[in-house]
Amino acid sequence: MSWTDERIDQLKAMWERGLTASQIADELGGVSRNAVIGKAHRLGLQSRPSPVKANDAPKKASPAPRKLAPVAAEPEVTRVAAAPIAPVSAPVRAPAPQPAPAAPAASAAGEAAPPPPPRVISVGPGGFLRQGPGDQQAPIPPAPPRRLVPAKPSAEIAGKTSLLDLTERICKWPMGHPGEPDFHFCGEAVNPGFPYCVEHCGRAYQAQLPRGTRRPPPPLPFGGPRVR
DNA sequence: CCCTGATTCGC
DNA sequence: GCGAATCAGG
C-alpha cells in the first residue's frame, strides 16, 4: 500500500487522538506498525509519550550507535530548561473545556507541543473512532451546497441490489463484504417464507440431523480408501 | 514473553 | 520517502 492523502489523514487523526501505532496500522491495513511510526515522524507528528523515552537526560553514546558516523561534537547549545523569558509569569489560559487532566505532563519543558491529552480511544469496525462523552472534535459543518443532488451510485454498484432495494420478497443474501465498494445483495426472488432465494436458503439453512446420527463422510479426493 | 515508540539506514 | 531492523523501556 502507499500513503495516499486519505490514508495520511487517517494516520494523523488516529495518531493525534492517541491510538497506538499498532492500532493505526491495523486499521489502515497494509502497513506495519513501523511504517506507521516512520510515517508519523516524517510527517512531523512527534511528541506522544513513549515508554522508552521518558527521561530527558541527555544520555548519548549508549543508545544504539549501530553503524553511524560519529557525529562531530557540535557545540552544545546550552538550553535553559525553561524559557528564560518570563515577563508575565502568570500563564492565564482561557478556560478550555478539558474534562479531566488525565496525565499531568509528559511533555518536558522542551518541546512546545500542545499537550495532547491521552485518551482512551476505541476503534470500531471499519476504522471509525469511537468518541468519548467529552470528545467533541468540533465538527464544523461545511457550508451547505446550493442544492442537494442525489448521490450517483458508483459504477461498481450500478445495477446491484443495494440495502435500500431490499424488500420482503427479494433475497437478502450479502454479496461481498460490507464496506467494499461493490457490496450488494443477491436480489433474486425470495424463497417464499424465507429471507433468501432458494439457492441461498440452501446455504443459510442446514438440515438438522437427529443426535447420534452419523453424518455421511465427506467425499474423499482421489486416492482415498475404497468404499464398497 | 508481550507490548510501546524512537531511531537508523539500505533501498 | 519508505519501512524493516533494531534499540530501549514498561
Side-chain angles (χ1 to χ4, degrees):
Chain A
M1 294 291 283
S2 61
W3 286 110
T4 62
D5 289 349
E6 183 181 2
R7 289 164 63 79
I8 290 176
D9 285 343
Q10 295 177 18
L11 165 60
K12 284 180 181 175
M14 294 181 185
W15 182 272
E16 289 168 3
R17 299 201 62 188
L19 286 165
T20 68
S22 295
Q23 288 175 301
I24 298 173
D26 287 343
E27 292 303 320
L28 288 178
V31 289
S32 67
R33 178 183 71 96
N34 280 325
V36 169
I37 293 175
K39 184 60 180 175
H41 281 218
R42 262 173 263 123
L43 288 172
L45 309 174
Q46 55 187 111
S47 75
R48 187 110 88 126
S50 83
V52 61
K53 196 137 183 221
N55 60 16
D56 189 21
K59 291 177 183 175
K60 49 189 175 180
S62 63
R66 212 162 85 118
K67 291 182 293 179
L68 173 60
V71 176
E74 64 183 61
E76 176 113 3
V77 178
T78 56
R79 278 176 290 190
V80 182
I85 48 95
V88 178
S89 63
V92 177
R93 277 182 290 186
Q98 302 283 344
S107 64
E111 298 302 323
R119 291 171 176 150
V120 177
I121 300 295
S122 64
V123 177
F128 72 90
L129 302 177
R130 294 197 180 99
Q131 289 193 347
D135 284 343
Q136 288 287 357
Q137 199 64 15
I140 303 300
R146 292 183 167 276
R147 58 195 179 97
L148 298 176
V149 176
K152 188 161 47 178
S154 63
E156 293 92 357
I157 208 65
K160 306 290 181 56
T161 302
S162 76
L163 179 63
L164 298 178
D165 296 323
L166 294 180
T167 70
E168 296 206 46
R169 57 193 106 72
I170 72 174
C171 179
K172 301 173 184 60
W173 189 266
M175 312 291 281
H177 299 87
E180 293 177 356
D182 61 339
F183 175 69
H184 60 284
F185 296 91
C186 169
E188 287 294 325
V190 87
N191 186 17
F194 295 90
Y196 307 122
C197 66
V198 176
E199 176 189 351
H200 288 136
C201 274
R203 301 272 302 273
Y205 303 103
Q206 304 287 328
Q208 176 64 63
L209 298 177
R211 287 182 179 274
T213 56
R214 298 187 64 85
R215 192 175 293 270
L220 292 171
F222 179 78
R226 181 168 314 200
V227 178
R228 19 181 116 218

mmCIF file of all heavy atoms in Angstrom, chain A residues 140 153 158 179 206:
data_model
loop_
_atom_site.group_PDB
_atom_site.id
_atom_site.type_symbol
_atom_site.label_atom_id
_atom_site.label_comp_id
_atom_site.label_asym_id
_atom_site.label_seq_id
_atom_site.Cartn_x
_atom_site.Cartn_y
_atom_site.Cartn_z
ATOM 1 N N ILE A 140 -16.967 21.266 12.256
ATOM 2 C CA ILE A 140 -17.547 22.434 11.618
ATOM 3 C C ILE A 140 -18.332 21.964 10.400
ATOM 4 O O ILE A 140 -17.777 21.372 9.489
ATOM 5 C CB ILE A 140 -16.452 23.399 11.169
ATOM 6 C CG1 ILE A 140 -15.587 23.786 12.366
ATOM 7 C CG2 ILE A 140 -17.071 24.639 10.529
ATOM 8 C CD1 ILE A 140 -16.344 24.462 13.475
ATOM 9 N N PRO A 153 -24.865 6.538 -7.752
ATOM 10 C CA PRO A 153 -24.201 5.296 -7.341
ATOM 11 C C PRO A 153 -22.913 5.104 -8.132
ATOM 12 O O PRO A 153 -22.811 5.490 -9.289
ATOM 13 C CB PRO A 153 -25.228 4.212 -7.691
ATOM 14 C CG PRO A 153 -26.517 4.924 -7.838
ATOM 15 C CD PRO A 153 -26.190 6.311 -8.298
ATOM 16 N N ALA A 158 -23.608 -0.035 -9.653
ATOM 17 C CA ALA A 158 -24.698 0.188 -10.591
ATOM 18 C C ALA A 158 -25.345 -1.136 -10.951
ATOM 19 O O ALA A 158 -24.699 -2.100 -11.300
ATOM 20 C CB ALA A 158 -24.168 0.880 -11.845
ATOM 21 N N GLY A 179 -18.721 -2.481 3.337
ATOM 22 C CA GLY A 179 -17.621 -1.527 3.289
ATOM 23 C C GLY A 179 -16.902 -1.540 1.970
ATOM 24 O O GLY A 179 -16.292 -0.547 1.588
ATOM 25 N N GLN A 206 -29.022 -25.441 7.148
ATOM 26 C CA GLN A 206 -28.524 -26.794 7.007
ATOM 27 C C GLN A 206 -29.485 -27.719 7.735
ATOM 28 O O GLN A 206 -30.002 -27.386 8.795
ATOM 29 C CB GLN A 206 -27.131 -26.920 7.628
ATOM 30 C CG GLN A 206 -26.135 -25.938 7.052
ATOM 31 C CD GLN A 206 -25.722 -26.318 5.639
ATOM 32 O OE1 GLN A 206 -25.678 -27.510 5.306
ATOM 33 N NE2 GLN A 206 -25.440 -25.331 4.814
#
